[in-house]
Amino acid sequence: MAASGRGLCKAAAASPFPAWRRAHSEARGGLKPEYDAVVIGAGHNGLVAAAYLQRLGVNTAIFETRHVIGGAAVTEEIIPKHGLRLHLRNPHSFTPMLEEGAGGKVPRSLLLGTDMAENQKQIAQFSRKDAQAFPRYEEFMHCLALAIDPLLDMAPVDMAAFERGSLLQRIRSLSTLKPLLKAGRILGAQLPRYYEVLTAPITKVLDQWFESEPLKATLATDAVIGAMTSPRTPGSGYVLLHHVMGGLEGTPGAWGYVQGGMGALSDAIARSATTHGASIFTEKTVTKVQVNSEGCVQGVVLEDGTEVRSKAVLSSTSPQITFLKLTPQEWLPEEFVERISQLDTRSPVTKINVAVDRLPSFLAAPNAPGGQPLPHHQCSIHLNCEDTLLLHQAFEDAMDGLPSHRPMIELCIPSSLDPTLAPAGCHVVSLFTQYTPYTLAGGKAWDEQERNAYADRVFDCIEAYAPGFKDSVVGRDILTPPDLERIFGLPGGNIFHCAMTLDQLYFARPVPLHSGYRCPLQGLYLCGSGAHPGGGVMGAAGRNAAHVVFGDLKSL
């Protein structure tokens, strides 16, 4: 499997320490008037697409608006020889409790990793029944991931070819049915139970397995992370599955940090692409996709008016930017444009990058005397996650146009495993928080006052679990949904480009009949998170799209 390491990017993508900020302005050779293929956007999927195309002999150029190449992905066939180093995390999940009136006792916590016996010991603090059920649950989910995972690494079944294609196209499209049939064989008689996992609220699924709320809430975080959904929302089970599929360094379900931060991963993919001859141009904004009189793509126009011709254009930007802003509307069917404009892009995420002068010391797991990192510091640390009701209430606040009063917080400290990210004794803390609505109630704007008020609320929550945290902060960056949209081009601030709901997946991503990376305009392809299989750091959309483009160019 070419694409792996899914879900790597919950670590901080940028450092709040100004001296550590990356400055990556890259141009591989001079700009030529024509290439075989042009990629819009140097996010991880765009870089992966370019790397694969160039290795296949397709002369490719990437144009990136920002001064840095962004995104992150690991693709085993591309990365290893290009300087990538990973730090595996084990244990990987830590959920401390707030337990008042414990009579001086240390509050409990839930620490999960790859050691099943240790996991059961941890879970037994809350329920012996759940400890016994946990291995069966893990095996159940592993079987489902085993069946679904191959579907992520290839284009969806081409329904348009079935409906309107030539006889040869119809025959070729039959091959894409094989993974679906194989998935059915793997799931067998348990298919109805697995169907429920994909379509039901994750609370319903977890209630059938477990009774302890700390365990259920910890598992439920993967069902709502990055999504404007509650654990009680139907279909939230798929989002959990999406985050537990894949692996790292041959270890299924493993998580890790990239040495040097997530930008180092993008750099490694970029080096792979440029080593084989691809050209990467930063601070070069594409403003228009060019179309010839016959209705075929013939290249792009840059912000300074430069025209760059190509046989194919791949866009790693969102479907909305690609089809509503960059593509001449007269070449797209009205129904297609309308569907793209109606995509659900709601996002609950406010990302806060924090610089601290010491590690957080949690009441449930106090720091060592020397202040060195302990096993739980390398985890995804879940705060305000003792109960699925807390997650639901946080969601309901956002539905009323209010930032959550007790936001769900996923706290990561990548410098606990990678000391190159911070000066000695200091650390980088990444806070992935939700729920924060894009539009605030009462017509309020996300101005500096609102940003800081929300960040202060998050810090107050952390302080309750780890007294002294606020005093350790030396700097912070706050990125609300509008900030994520403005800076990174994420519609609505959505890290997946559009919601990972069942009506916007597989056959229907981004819209029905156009889920195979092609669009109604010949020569234009979508290769970002808005295409199948969606968000997450895996590079699958870029890889899959590259192979579709290569096949089309060969047929030409």
Side-chain angles (χ1 to χ4, degrees):
M1 184 174 66
S4 68
R6 299 189 178 96
L8 259 171
C9 77
K10 289 186 182 176
S15 168
F17 288 99
W20 303 344
R21 288 192 184 278
R22 304 175 54 78
H24 189 122
S25 183
E26 182 173 0
R28 306 302 190 190
L31 178 61
K32 300 175 183 177
E34 185 171 355
Y35 297 87
D36 295 330
V38 161
V39 178
I40 303 173
H44 68 276
N45 276 305
L47 292 168
V48 168
Y52 273 101
L53 285 172
Q54 195 67 46
R55 285 177 62 127
L56 291 167
V58 179
N59 190 21
T60 305
I62 308 176
F63 295 107
E64 168 60 41
T65 296
R66 303 185 71 223
H67 66 289
V68 293
I69 57 174
V74 54
T75 307
E76 291 176 352
E77 295 171 10
I78 291 178
I79 296 302
K81 297 180 182 180
H82 295 277
L84 182 69
R85 183 182 175 191
L86 301 174
H87 297 278
L88 294 180
R89 301 192 307 171
N90 184 37
H92 54 73
S93 173
F94 176 63
T95 307
M97 304 291 114
L98 278 184
E99 295 180 319
E100 297 179 2
K105 294 182 179 179
V106 174
R108 291 176 298 173
S109 63
L110 179 61
L111 187 69
L112 301 176
T114 58
D115 187 327
M116 182 55 71
E118 185 59 31
N119 289 343
Q120 289 181 285
K121 182 180 177 181
Q122 288 281 319
I123 295 168
Q125 299 176 89
F126 307 96
S127 167
R128 293 188 179 277
K129 178 182 175 183
D130 288 358
Q132 294 174 348
F134 191 67
R136 297 195 301 273
Y137 167 83
E138 289 281 278
E139 182 59 32
F140 178 83
M141 295 300 290
H142 174 72
C143 183
L144 181 54
L146 195 67
I148 300 297
D149 192 70
L151 300 180
L152 274 59
D153 279 325
M154 64 185 304
V157 176
D158 191 346
M159 301 306 296
F162 274 123
E163 184 176 302
R164 301 188 296 268
S166 64
L167 178 60
L168 181 59
Q169 288 174 322
R170 292 182 184 187
I171 293 173
R172 285 176 176 171
S173 64
L174 286 173
S175 65
T176 60
L177 286 173
K178 291 181 181 178
L180 283 175
L181 297 175
K182 184 178 179 180
R185 288 197 301 271
I186 292 173
L187 301 180
Q190 293 292 314
L191 184 58
R193 287 192 69 193
Y194 287 115
Y195 176 79
E196 184 179 45
V197 172
L198 299 178
T199 59
I202 194 59
T203 48
K204 179 181 178 182
V205 175
L206 294 174
D207 283 346
Q208 294 171 357
W209 285 95
F210 307 116
E211 61 184 10
S212 60
E213 280 299 325
L215 176 60
K216 289 190 288 185
T218 296
L219 297 174
T221 60
D222 272 336
V224 298
I225 193 77
M228 188 61 88
T229 58
S230 161
R232 299 180 181 182
T233 302
S236 51
Y238 174 77
V239 181
L240 179 146
L241 180 68
H242 188 84
H243 283 101
V244 301
M245 285 189 290
L248 190 62
E249 302 267 289
T251 304
W255 293 72
Y257 293 127
V258 179
Q259 175 86 19
M262 294 306 293
L265 196 150
S266 297
D267 289 345
I269 304 171
R271 281 193 293 271
S272 173
T274 55
T275 296
H276 290 87
S279 299
I280 301 176
F281 301 95
T282 55
E283 298 183 281
K284 294 285 187 183
T285 300
V286 172
T287 58
K288 184 180 179 181
V289 174
Q290 278 197 307
V291 185
N292 64 23
S293 59
E294 297 176 355
C296 297
V297 165
Q298 64 177 21
V300 298
V301 180
L302 304 182
E303 192 172 41
D304 62 5
T306 302
E307 297 183 3
V308 182
R309 301 177 74 86
S310 66
K311 301 181 183 73
V313 172
L314 297 81
S315 177
S316 68
T317 63
S318 69
Q320 296 87 337
I321 291 176
T322 302
F323 300 121
L324 303 183
K325 294 185 178 180
L326 300 181
T327 307
Q329 299 296 281
E330 63 267 24
W331 294 108
L332 296 174
E334 288 185 14
E335 181 183 0
F336 177 82
V337 171
E338 185 177 1
R339 280 186 173 272
I340 294 295
S341 65
Q342 293 172 347
L343 288 173
D344 180 4
T345 62
R346 292 175 301 164
S347 169
V349 175
T350 286
K351 182 72 161 37
I352 308 175
N353 296 315
V354 189
V356 296
D357 60 15
R358 58 187 178 274
L359 283 168
S361 184
F362 295 91
L363 292 173
N367 284 0
Q372 67 270 26
L374 297 173
H376 67 275
H377 285 122
Q378 65 183 266
C379 295
S380 292
I381 300 172
H382 306 287
L383 306 181
N384 291 336
C385 297
E386 293 93 333
D387 194 305
T388 54
L389 177 60
L390 288 175
L391 307 183
H392 178 68
Q393 290 171 337
F395 165 78
E396 285 190 317
D397 287 341
M399 289 295 95
D400 292 334
L402 303 172
S404 302
H405 290 94
R406 283 192 67 182
M408 179 183 120
I409 302 169
E410 184 172 286
L411 184 155
C412 293
I413 314 172
S415 53
S416 64
L417 284 177
D418 179 9
T420 68
L421 293 174
C426 297
H427 286 276
V428 173
V429 176
S430 168
L431 302 176
F432 203 88
T433 76
Q434 56 190 79
Y435 298 76
T436 50
Y438 183 93
T439 303
L440 296 173
K444 290 183 179 179
W446 275 110
D447 55 22
E448 201 63 24
Q449 181 179 348
E450 290 293 337
R451 283 192 194 92
N452 283 309
Y454 175 72
D456 290 343
R457 182 182 305 172
V458 170
F459 283 23
D460 285 342
C461 290
I462 299 173
E463 185 79 11
Y465 291 90
F469 174 79
K470 290 195 292 186
D471 287 341
S472 72
V473 174
V474 297
R476 68 186 188 185
D477 284 340
I478 308 164
L479 299 171
T480 64
D483 296 323
L484 294 169
E485 180 178 68
R486 174 177 50 84
I487 297 170
F488 301 106
L490 302 174
N494 194 302
I495 60 173
F496 305 132
H497 287 186
C498 52
M500 297 283 290
T501 48
L502 293 177
D503 61 322
Q504 293 183 170
L505 290 174
Y506 199 61
F507 295 117
R509 193 168 188 88
V511 296
L513 298 183
H514 296 289
S515 60
Y517 309 102
R518 303 179 184 92
C519 76
L521 180 58
Q522 185 176 334
L524 179 60
Y525 303 82
L526 195 65
C527 69
S529 294
H532 171 76
V537 182
M538 49 181 150
R543 172 187 178 275
N544 296 349
H547 285 295
V548 169
V549 171
F550 181 68
D552 288 354
L553 290 176
K554 280 177 61 179
S555 69
L556 290 175

